Amino acid sequence: MTDQDLKPLFAAAAANLVYNAPLSEERVADLVRRLAPADADRRVLDLGCGSGELLRRLCRTHGVAGDGVEYDPAIAERARAAAPDLDQVTFHTADATTWTRPADVVVNVGGSHIWDGTAPALAALQRLTRAGGRLLFGEGFYRTAPTDQIREAFGDLPDLAGLARLATTAGFRPLHVAESTLAEWDDFESDWRAGIEQVGTPQARAFADRRREEYLGGYRGVLGFAWLILMPA
Ligand SMILES: C[S@@+](CC[C@H](N)C(=O)[O-])C[C@H]1O[C@@H](n2cnc3c(N)ncnc32)[C@H](O)[C@@H]1O
């Protein structure tokens, strides 16, 4: 299948998800509580915000204003349409690498590819996190040694200790380090494939079959997803 064939299938998968990451409601509530800004004048910034739900949750719960930055116009429009009444949240259709205004709570979940990898992403996000603020960084890592095939698919990721070290090298103090559970992964992968099943074509089914095999017979339990709350050092 060409990239052109795959694009609508990835879009169908994303459209079926609230969060495009292995993330349960319990973890959302925990992260939102941990990320409480010091006062209501603080600002939240989510780079690569996708549906914008995490940003909306943070802003609603803590009564603060926020910006979501999303490159894909259709996804940004969906984020805008989800809560038109929430006027303290603005969604920008833009390339996050062009954003220069720092914020007090910065979020980047599953979006290090925006800066071409973990280390450059952490360096860029450090510049955008105000002193005394927090960065929520959701990022992949290897829980166990990957096969060559898995490494080819997901790239050269660190282990969890290596990921925390990259954060300290970038000028952060890790305040909270956690990882998605296998149940969160299984739900995420199932919901992702369910979006593709809804397309219903033989091509879509073949793609869903391939992804299920790659997950269940390959990266399940090998690829991890970390949740780091980081404070500028
Ligand atoms: C894996 S998804 C994660 C979305 C969201 N953070 C979440 O957890 O649900 C990555 C998102 O980053 C967006 N993205 C990719 N490149 C971008 C860029 N240069 N600037 C802004 N957003 C970008 C994609 O369109 C996608 O919505």
Side-chain angles (χ1 to χ4, degrees):
M1 270 186 256
T2 65
D3 282 359
Q4 247 355 71
D5 296 329
L6 290 178
K7 211 170 169 233
L9 298 181
F10 276 99
N16 195 48
L17 299 168
V18 178
Y19 306 103
N20 201 336
L23 175 58
S24 63
E25 267 306 314
E26 292 72 25
R27 189 177 306 280
V28 174
D30 179 59
L31 293 170
V32 167
R33 180 183 60 78
R34 289 175 188 275
L35 288 166
D39 57 58
D41 289 338
R42 308 298 162 119
R43 235 185 142 81
V44 183
L45 169 66
D46 189 339
L47 296 160
C49 65
S51 74
E53 181 58 17
L54 188 53
L55 174 65
R56 283 192 295 275
R57 286 284 291 270
L58 280 162
C59 292
R60 266 214 189 92
T61 304
H62 301 301
V64 294
D67 297 285
V69 184
E70 171 55 52
Y71 192 67
D72 185 311
I75 298 176
E77 192 43 48
R78 181 182 153 214
R80 249 174 238 120
D85 55 314
L86 194 64
D87 53 12
Q88 79 260 38
V89 180
T90 308
F91 289 101
H92 309 262
T93 307
D95 180 347
T97 61
T98 65
W99 190 269
T100 54
R101 185 157 29 108
D104 305 285
V105 176
V106 178
V107 175
N108 180 242
V109 173
S112 67
H113 60 281
I114 293 172
W115 295 271
D116 289 331
T118 310
L122 284 164
L125 294 162
Q126 213 277 349
R127 290 191 289 275
L128 291 170
T129 310
R130 286 203 183 115
R134 300 285 186 272
L135 166 66
L136 172 65
F137 190 53
E139 176 65 321
F141 69 97
Y142 289 128
R143 306 181 71 248
T144 60
T147 60
D148 289 347
Q149 206 179 358
I150 293 172
R151 196 181 283 281
E152 201 178 312
F154 297 101
D156 267 326
L157 300 174
D159 63 12
L160 189 56
L163 181 57
R165 273 196 298 276
L166 286 175
T168 59
T169 304
F172 285 108
R173 300 297 307 158
L175 301 182
H176 175 72
V177 179
E179 69 165 307
S180 295
T181 63
L182 210 49
E184 285 175 293
W185 266 108
D186 288 347
D187 284 350
F188 168 60
E189 289 286 334
S190 297
D191 292 344
W192 197 94
R193 287 194 313 273
I196 292 175
E197 295 288 351
Q198 283 168 26
V199 176
T201 61
Q203 202 180 34
R205 288 197 177 137
F207 185 55
D209 286 345
R210 198 178 86 197
R211 170 83 173 218
R212 193 183 58 249
E213 275 303 319
E214 283 169 357
Y215 176 60
L216 296 177
Y219 62 89
R220 184 176 189 264
V222 177
L223 183 67
F225 197 84
W227 298 95
L228 271 56
I229 296 181
L230 305 169
M231 179 178 71

